[in-house]
Amino acid sequence: MSPETGPTVFILNGVNLGALGRRRPEVYGTLTLDDIEKFLRDRFPDVDFEFRQTDYEGEMVGFIGEAAGSAGVVINPGAWTHYSYALHDALEWMDMPKVEVHLSNVHAREGWRRHSVVSPAVDAVVAGMGADGYRAAVAYILSRGGG
Ligand code: DQA
């Protein structure tokens, strides 16, 4: 981090999250990913966000690798949460603060959503706070010294 720029925080959104706003708004809310990005940029003007979404697991592994040396990573892996050992392994050896975020309360839904294979590889998990969960995750990363 140079004195001229703020901390870089990666916000990584996985499979099907590109459809936010249209996809099951009663569960995931009406905000689109663009709305969430704007919300974070407004809320944290000094943070240099790298905001990404992909439906391809290998591309997500690449994004996680790109985050090496950043202030931290916020990741909503979507359904990959529940079965992607590849994302677990990509995250586990990275030493910056890492937060797993879910818009919905995955513990109050279908049984298969209660288990995350990603959680053991991150520092914190936020679920059920909607878009505000991303704000909480960024605040946590900054509190860990990223900003
Ligand atoms: C989600 C929860 C996952 O179970 C689901 O597959 C998603 C979104 C959430 O943000 O609540 O795609 O990660």
Side-chain angles (χ1 to χ4, degrees):
M1 184 177 98
S2 75
E4 301 83 39
T5 60
T8 300
V9 176
F10 279 69
I11 310 288
L12 304 181
N13 290 283
V15 61
N16 288 314
L17 290 165
L20 277 187
R22 290 174 286 132
R23 175 189 174 205
R24 302 206 58 197
E26 75 284 7
V27 175
Y28 298 116
T30 54
L31 296 183
T32 65
L33 265 194
D34 284 349
D35 294 332
I36 293 174
E37 178 175 1
K38 185 174 183 317
F39 165 66
L40 291 178
R41 290 188 188 283
D42 287 350
R43 189 73 177 67
F44 301 99
D46 297 331
V47 172
D48 171 26
F49 285 108
E50 289 288 342
F51 202 96
R52 311 275 175 82
Q53 190 272 328
T54 182
D55 291 326
Y56 297 92
E57 190 180 19
E59 188 170 28
M60 181 60 92
V61 170
F63 290 163
I64 293 167
E66 272 187 66
S70 70
V73 179
V74 176
I75 184 165
N76 183 345
W80 290 327
T81 304
H82 313 296
Y83 64 88
S84 177
Y85 300 116
L87 293 189
H88 169 280
D89 285 358
L91 286 161
E92 72 169 345
W93 62 278
M94 312 277 302
D95 58 7
M96 77 287 277
K98 296 160 285 189
V99 186
E100 175 185 334
V101 168
H102 300 286
L103 292 150
S104 65
N105 177 0
V106 284
H107 299 286
R109 300 180 62 194
E110 300 96 321
W112 57 269
R113 290 188 205 273
R114 290 191 197 128
H115 183 63
S116 167
V117 301
V118 171
S119 294
V122 299
D123 300 281
V125 180
V126 180
M129 288 172 57
D132 209 36
Y134 290 82
R135 182 203 52 74
V138 173
Y140 167 76
I141 286 169
L142 298 181
S143 79
R144 286 277 306 268

